[in-house]
Amino acid sequence: MIDATADTEGLIIEGETSAELSVLDGDGVSQFLDTNEDLTIRDLTFSNFSVIGDNGAVIHNDSTDDLLTVEGSVFEDNFADDGGAIFWRGQGEISDSTFEDNSAGERGGALYFGEDASIGYSVFNGNFANYRGGAVYGDFFLTLNHSDFVSNSSWGSGGAVSAHKDVDSFYSTFTGNGTTRRGGAIFTNDDSSTGYSVFTDNTSGYRGGAIYTNNNGDSDSGQGVRETHVYHS
């Protein structure tokens, strides 16, 4: 059973007690939702949604004022131009969710955010972007916390994560991610900060096997590293 309700906090779409019990299959030919209001997704699985010439196969939002909240959900095998599973112009909060084998023709194999976004206690595995951010792309600040990024890739920069602004990563792991350009795990045009994180076997074709900080010519920008371990990257 899937329940959809609208209240003063926006639209809420939730499944049963776990994502495994509520599965939506796009059959490779459809987009699930195009919305311009706050949205909460909870305990759902979205599989095999696809759009050509548009963004966000599962969720598409073009408003910078709206907040996306995703909890306990699974997104797998979805495809779009930007944001293979989700394209969200506003702020986002992702927790306890899994993104696997999603892909994008441009940026953000699984997720694209236009404003600040935080990701916690989530897993990104085998996602791909043709340009930047094999798993996640952000136009502003990205905060990653207690999350695992495994075998994500891009042909541009940022095998797992790419952001135009800062990327802050804490208590997270990056394993086997890769890109043909810069930042095998993380690429950022501004600052990057990592704490209590582990980078293992990430690769790049040009610079920054684990992390590449572009800085856009700003001499005050750079990397902050605390209790972070890098292996074979």
Side-chain angles (χ1 to χ4, degrees):
M1 178 181 178
I2 297 170
D3 182 46
T5 59
D7 59 20
T8 56
E9 297 180 356
L11 180 63
I12 301 172
I13 304 176
E14 55 188 341
E16 297 190 49
T17 54
S18 69
E20 290 79 7
L21 297 177
S22 302
V23 178
L24 297 171
D25 192 326
D27 199 27
V29 294
S30 64
Q31 184 178 62
F32 176 71
L33 178 66
D34 191 336
T35 181
N36 282 317
E37 60 182 321
D38 291 350
L39 174 65
T40 297
I41 296 289
R42 187 179 296 124
D43 298 326
L44 288 166
T45 292
F46 298 91
S47 179
N48 201 28
F49 286 85
S50 179
V51 290
I52 305 297
D54 202 353
N55 304 320
V58 178
I59 300 166
H60 181 200
N61 178 290
D62 274 324
S63 172
T64 58
D65 297 326
D66 298 335
L67 172 66
L68 171 68
T69 303
V70 176
E71 302 171 351
S73 294
V74 177
F75 297 79
E76 57 188 12
D77 296 308
N78 302 293
F79 172 82
D81 285 1
D82 279 331
I86 297 173
F87 180 91
W88 195 267
R89 283 284 187 197
Q91 296 183 346
E93 299 174 355
I94 309 293
S95 62
D96 298 301
S97 295
T98 299
F99 296 81
E100 186 168 9
D101 295 330
N102 302 284
S103 57
E106 292 292 333
R107 297 165 293 181
L111 301 174
Y112 181 115
F113 286 107
E115 298 288 339
D116 297 352
S118 63
I119 296 168
Y121 299 92
S122 296
V123 175
F124 294 80
N125 182 32
N127 302 287
F128 170 78
N130 195 50
Y131 181 41
R132 287 185 176 175
V136 182
Y137 180 87
D139 276 332
F140 277 82
F141 300 100
L142 293 177
T143 301
L144 317 173
N145 191 24
H146 288 90
S147 293
D148 300 316
F149 295 81
V150 182
S151 299
N152 303 285
S153 60
S154 73
W155 284 348
S157 295
V161 178
S162 178
H164 190 64
K165 294 290 187 178
D166 294 10
V167 176
D168 297 327
S169 173
F170 305 101
Y171 299 98
S172 296
T173 65
F174 298 81
T175 306
N177 304 286
T179 181
T180 59
R181 291 291 293 162
R182 298 169 293 180
I186 295 173
F187 173 90
T188 171
N189 272 323
D190 211 321
D191 293 346
S192 68
S193 177
T194 63
Y196 307 99
S197 296
V198 177
F199 294 78
T200 306
D201 293 331
N202 302 284
T203 59
S204 69
Y206 182 43
R207 290 179 176 174
I211 303 170
Y212 185 89
T213 302
N214 197 39
N215 290 344
N216 277 340
D218 183 353
S219 60
D220 293 330
S221 297
Q223 296 182 23
V225 179
R226 181 175 180 181
E227 294 294 328
T228 292
H229 303 279
V230 180
Y231 303 100
H232 307 297
S233 289

